[in-house]
């Protein structure tokens, strides 16, 4: 039987959707998942591609997906791609703690829940876990602190899992993605600052950041997906940096003084104007 892959977060227009298409073109059995199946209708007629409803925050939904995979593969799963993600942009002092917990439930606990549930299938196949990280996990981007913290946590979790799963012949690959045009910024309403916020004059800047109205050039997910699938199928492990601005971030954070990094990241945030006021 062909090798198999399960991908979380495959809504149309995003990274998971493009990954599902790329894996399918390379003759893998693909399990494309998202909470709402209607968001994957463009994939439904592709051969060897199975659409599954999966909420990474719901253990029962995850258990149903595990059983669905077993029914098709007979037991093993070769690749798991933890791609589901949630966004949240807000100054740290104005963060809604409950909203922050919901973000971590998807971005951090979700990959761990899914990996735990699928681990027997991955061990049976001597498979690979792929965690989708972000350059935000290495950058102090104003208003993105909670999202960035969740991705930094994914990086640490992935590298720890790599060491822990090695004795069971399961590989772990963490992909630090760069600037990709995924539509993530458009899935939630523009943030509204609380009435007592210290950043009220910058509400427009916060909203610009949340809606990706900025100077950053982003790569289309299709090209990124092709590169990443090549990496996965080549057996790469550890941590790799892929996508626009990924390598700039990797080396810039090492070579540039912190003051220069701060200047670049703060330049369009309005924070310098707030200091003057």
């Amino acid at each position: 039987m062909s090798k198999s892959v399960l991908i979380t977060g495959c809504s149309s227009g995003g990274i998971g959707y493009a990954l599902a298409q790329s894996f399918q073109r390379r003759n893998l059995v693909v399990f494309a998942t998202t909470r709402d199946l209607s968001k994957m209708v463009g994939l439904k007629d592709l051969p060897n591609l199975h659409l599954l409803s999966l909420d990474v925050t719901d253990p029962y939904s995850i258990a149903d997906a595990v059983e669905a995979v077993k029914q098709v593969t007979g037991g093993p799963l070769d690749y798991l791609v933890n791609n589901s993600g949630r966004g949240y942009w807000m100054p740290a002092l104005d963060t809604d703690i409950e909203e922050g917990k919901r973000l971590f439930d998807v971005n951090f606990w979700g990959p761990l829940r899914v990996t735990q549930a699928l681990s027997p299938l991955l061990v049976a196949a001597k498979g690979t876990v792929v965690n989708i990280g972000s350059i935000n996990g290495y950058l102090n981007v104003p208003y993105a602190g909670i999202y960035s913290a969740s991705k930094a946590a994914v990086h640490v979790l992935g590298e720890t899992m790599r060491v822990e799963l090695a004795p069971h012949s399961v590989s772990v690959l963490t992909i630090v993605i760069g600037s990709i045009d995924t539509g993530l910024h458009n899935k939630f309403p523009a943030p509204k600052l609380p009435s007592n916020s210290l950043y009220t004059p910058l509400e427009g800047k916060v909203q610009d950041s949340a809606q990706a109205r900025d100077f950053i050039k982003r790569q289309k997910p299709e090209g990124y997906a092709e590169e990443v699938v090549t990496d996965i199928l080549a057996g790469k492990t550890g941590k790799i940096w892929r996508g626009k601005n990924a390598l700039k971030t990797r080396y810039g954070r090492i070579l540039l003084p912190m003051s220069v990094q701060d200047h670049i990241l703060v330049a369009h945030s309005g924070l310098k104007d707030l200091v003057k006021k």
Side-chain angles (χ1 to χ4, degrees), residues 8 56-57 62 80 82-84 104-119 122 129-131 153-154 157-158 160-161 164-165:
T8 66
V56 300
T57 70
I62 295 171
L80 165 63
N82 288 310
N83 172 70
S84 286
F104 262 82
D105 208 19
V106 174
N107 292 8
F108 177 74
W109 295 115
L112 183 55
R113 282 191 197 93
V114 174
T115 304
Q116 287 178 340
L118 286 168
S119 59
L122 291 160
V129 178
V130 181
N131 295 316
V154 166
L157 176 66
T160 303
M161 290 171 60
E164 293 179 346
L165 288 173

Side-chain angles (χ1 to χ4, degrees), residues 185-233:
H185 293 262
N186 301 319
K187 293 182 179 180
F188 302 99
K192 180 70 176 175
L193 298 182
S195 59
N196 63 344
S197 174
L198 296 175
Y199 304 91
T200 297
L202 302 182
E203 184 168 63
K205 293 292 187 180
V206 176
Q207 293 175 347
D208 286 345
S209 178
Q211 303 293 319
R213 295 191 295 264
D214 51 35
F215 66 98
I216 298 173
K217 293 183 179 180
R218 293 174 170 81
Q219 181 180 359
K220 292 297 182 182
E222 292 78 13
Y224 161 83
E226 285 295 310
E227 186 175 6
V228 165
V229 170
T230 297
D231 289 328
I232 295 170
L233 297 182

